Amino acid sequence: MGKTENNKAWFLVLPVFVIVAFSAIIPLITVVNYAFQDILGPQDRYWVGTEWFKEVLTDDALQEALLRQLVFSTAVLLVEIPLGIVLALGMPARGAGASAALVLMALPLLIPWNVVGTIWQIFARGDIGLAGWFINGPLGLDYNYTADSFDAWITILVMDVWHWTPLVALLCYAGLRAIPDAYYQAASIDGASRWAVFRHIELPKMRGVLLIAVLLRFMDSFTIYTEPFVVTGGGPGNATTFLSIHLAKIAVGQFDLGPAAAISIVYFLIILTLSFVFYNVMIRVGTGSSKS
Amino acid sequence: MTLRLEQLARRVGKETHLYRMDLTLEPGLNVLLGPTLAGKTSLMRLMAGLDRPSEGRVLVDGTDVTSRSVRERSVAMVYQQFINYPSLTVYDNIASPLRLARLPRPEIDRKVREVAGLLHIEHLLGRLPAELSGGQQQRTAIGRALVKEADLLLLDEPLVNLDYKLREELRAELQAIFAQRRAVVVYATTEPLEALVLGGRTVVMGEGRILQTGPTLQVYHHPASTDVARIFSDPPMNMLEGTIADGRVSLGDGIAFPPCAHLAALPAGRYRFGVRANHLGIARRRPGDVEFPAEVALAEVSGSETFVHLLHDGVDLVVQEEGIHSLRLGATMSVFLAPGQLYAFDAAGALAAAPARREG
């Protein structure tokens, strides 16, 4: 049979091209435009090459923000992924308890981000906040997130854990429920320990959802803005000035659009690269779990 | 070993999964035959020790093991789904029960390779389960069960998720493997053909009860009741109401003939007559065949055979005929019945007379 050739297929993919162009490519190109030029007005633009990049990459403030960001995302992943798995393992599988646990888990996810920030800003205050009062009073620790950078860090981290661990837990819970009961029976007939069941059945079967959880939590924590902005405003000092807060300061605060565009591109490339690495590592680690 | 179930019953909430039953299983192949929801899996779980019975006892060689957990029993099980550890290679999967039993490494290696050879998966030992075909995955799972050399080997419809070519192949291999083992092998299936091919002994189950137990062929040729006859025939045995009176057998709508040897001894009365689909024909096969009319409802071609569904006197009949036949639906045609192959069941559904068999 002869091969039929026509170009109709292009019309079918055209809508996707248009949508992606408007949602991603065109805005990105605009940013690229600003990153390589000094634009003072529509007719008043100068090609600056990689000058903005040189400027921002050698900027101490950016390097510090990037380091802070990496430490924060690492901490978020190290706490939220294991905690989410433990929570999912502990959630009841069926019955009224399961529904109650699901609703309880979903609650933090339903709260708007800036409200989460406001809640914690008040909650953690030493004078009027329940948590702040409890830590300073009954616990007898000296805690003040507005003055101490370590306290500010802990506050932001605990807030993020509270806000987003449920997402990891829910994803893992879905993964766990998809494991046929026969696997557990087979394991108990083999005489496998609880740890072996987790290591050789549950963990490999959760690989797919864990990959999604790690990617989502990484990308999300790496671009965190609203909550620390509301709680600490990046302070005390620059202690919680993460990359996006730093970027916003330059772009919206100082209106340095050129350097801001350069930072955006660097920022974007870092997320893209790290996500790519995570994805490939996780796809290869412990391969052999079902493709479902 | 000998596995004895005494007055065993299992209820979950208000539902009875298994009614009180007694069963003794000896080493060798025991086929658990029954339709879905007959209680085969429930019974196997009790045998394994995965569930506790609501009543009764489980005895292994006379010792009560009812309350002993599955870990302390010598049990291996193969499931309908292909259950292997996803992140372990075929080798490690097969080795896993031996490692848990803390066997020395060289012995593990020897046993794994031996079982892998038996199941023809030696060349796949380094692969992960996801890289195998369904048949190979199930071979691995069977290997994991065999390598334990457990006293009780349970197989819960192990071949049902495979295509029929693989099923036939693996079934033949399994039969040979079981023959060399001293374990009590329990093989659950819904298919009468599978029971017949595997041989051994058969336990027929229906709706949570054990209906009949015995050597497979014996049960096949002498089903104790209409229920067993239906379950142990594929398609289910055709049943027609009838009577024996005045030296004549009459059944259905005007089918009458003098009783042949095995029916002649029966007292007069009402009976339910059963005949398997392969003993009905749409052409005369023997001179003694009885002819009667029936309406064609459906003709189903399966491989080199045709299953003709017919309506006679308001009763559905199935005829299994060699070759491929195209029949006009709704047409009335002649069906031929071999009177020598008729089963007679009494009013309560118990077997009254079975066709004589040369081999007994």
Side-chain angles (χ1 to χ4, degrees), chain B residues 2 4 11 36 83 108 145 181 190 207 213 217 221 226 241 256 264 267 275 319 333 341 353:
Chain B
T2 306
R4 266 178 63 74
R11 286 177 294 275
T36 35
I83 304 294
I108 292 180
R181 303 239 147 197
T190 56
E207 297 179 346
T213 312
L217 279 178
H221 289 312
T226 49
E241 301 292 337
V275 61
V319 176
M333 60 179 299
Q341 301 297 340

Side-chain angles (χ1 to χ4, degrees), chain A residues 25 29 31 48 51 62 65 77 81 97 100 119 122 131 141 145 150 155 168 173 176 192 196 211 239 266 279 288:
Chain A
I25 298 170
I29 294 298
V31 175
V48 296
E51 203 174 300
L62 179 93
L77 288 181
I81 298 295
I119 290 174
I122 298 168
L141 295 173
Y145 73 87
F150 180 74
T155 309
V168 180
Y173 185 74
L176 284 174
L211 172 67
V266 172
Y279 180 81

Side-chain angles (χ1 to χ4, degrees), chain B residues 238-240 251-257 273 275-277 279-284 288-296 308-319 331-339 342:
Chain B
N238 296 302
M239 295 287 175
L240 282 165
L251 58 146
D253 181 19
I255 309 171
F257 49 88
F273 294 97
V275 61
R276 288 201 163 93
H279 292 132
L280 286 177
I282 54 174
R284 189 178 288 278
D289 283 359
V290 180
E291 183 179 347
F292 65 93
E295 190 186 313
V296 180
V308 189
H309 295 249
L310 300 144
L311 213 56
H312 170 81
D313 193 24
V315 180
D316 290 310
L317 299 176
V318 186
V319 176
T332 301
M333 60 179 299
S334 286
V335 179
F336 297 88
L337 165 78
L342 270 185

Side-chain angles (χ1 to χ4, degrees), chain A:
Chain A
M1 274 201 353
K3 197 168 140 197
T4 344
E5 272 193 43
N6 64 42
N7 296 325
K8 266 186 198 153
W10 289 107
F11 288 100
L12 301 176
V13 284
L14 192 65
V16 177
F17 274 124
V18 173
I19 290 168
V20 172
F22 276 95
S23 70
I25 298 170
I26 293 175
L28 190 67
I29 294 298
T30 316
V31 175
V32 170
N33 219 10
Y34 274 93
F36 291 96
Q37 298 178 78
D38 192 356
I39 299 179
L40 304 170
Q43 307 305 325
D44 198 10
R45 47 177 70 204
Y46 306 96
W47 177 259
V48 296
T50 56
E51 203 174 300
W52 296 137
F53 287 92
K54 280 178 193 147
E55 185 186 318
V56 299
L57 286 175
T58 51
D59 179 14
D60 287 346
L62 179 93
Q63 288 173 4
E64 280 163 21
L66 179 60
L67 184 67
R68 234 173 260 135
Q69 189 66 69
L70 286 169
V71 172
F72 181 72
S73 286
T74 310
V76 160
L77 288 181
L78 286 180
V79 174
E80 289 182 13
I81 298 295
L83 190 60
I85 293 174
V86 169
L87 282 173
L89 289 171
M91 281 164 72
R94 52 185 75 83
S99 319
L102 284 174
V103 172
L104 216 60
M105 279 288 155
L107 269 182
L109 300 172
L110 299 177
I111 303 173
W113 298 2
N114 54 346
V115 178
V116 170
T118 314
I119 290 174
W120 279 82
Q121 194 212 10
I122 298 168
F123 187 53
R125 268 174 68 165
D127 47 357
I128 54 168
L130 188 62
W133 165 81
F134 184 75
I135 297 168
N136 280 304
L139 282 187
L141 295 173
D142 185 21
Y143 166 82
N144 183 355
Y145 73 87
T146 53
D148 186 279
S149 14
F150 180 74
D151 292 352
W153 259 83
I154 293 294
T155 309
I156 301 287
L157 187 62
V158 169
M159 175 179 65
D160 199 83
V161 167
W162 174 82
H163 194 183
W164 290 113
T165 305
L167 176 76
V168 180
L170 290 177
L171 282 169
C172 292
Y173 185 74
L176 284 174
R177 294 288 82 79
I179 303 175
D181 201 36
Y183 276 90
Y184 295 104
Q185 285 175 36
S188 67
I189 285 178
D190 278 2
S193 62
R194 182 69 190 87
W195 168 253
V197 169
F198 174 72
R199 173 65 190 82
H200 294 304
I201 296 173
E202 291 171 331
L203 200 57
K205 285 277 174 191
M206 281 196 293
R207 199 170 51 108
V209 289
L210 276 178
L211 172 67
I212 295 171
V214 167
L215 284 181
L216 281 179
R217 283 318 301 134
F218 166 70
M219 291 191 273
D220 227 39
S221 68
F222 210 79
T223 56
I224 189 167
Y225 177 77
T226 318
E227 299 101 313
F229 182 77
V230 174
V231 178
T232 63
N238 273 335
T240 54
T241 302
F242 298 118
L243 263 184
S244 55
I245 296 183
H246 176 72
L247 174 62
K249 273 182 183 167
I250 291 177
V252 192
Q254 307 170 11
F255 220 69
D256 285 337
L257 291 183
I263 294 175
S264 298
I265 287 174
V266 172
Y267 201 170
F268 172 69
L269 289 178
I270 291 173
I271 293 178
L272 204 64
T273 312
L274 287 178
S275 297
F276 178 79
V277 170
F278 276 132
Y279 180 81
N280 281 287
V281 168
M282 289 192 69
I283 281 292
R284 278 175 184 76
V285 162
T287 40
S289 91
S290 75
K291 283 155 198 143
S292 61

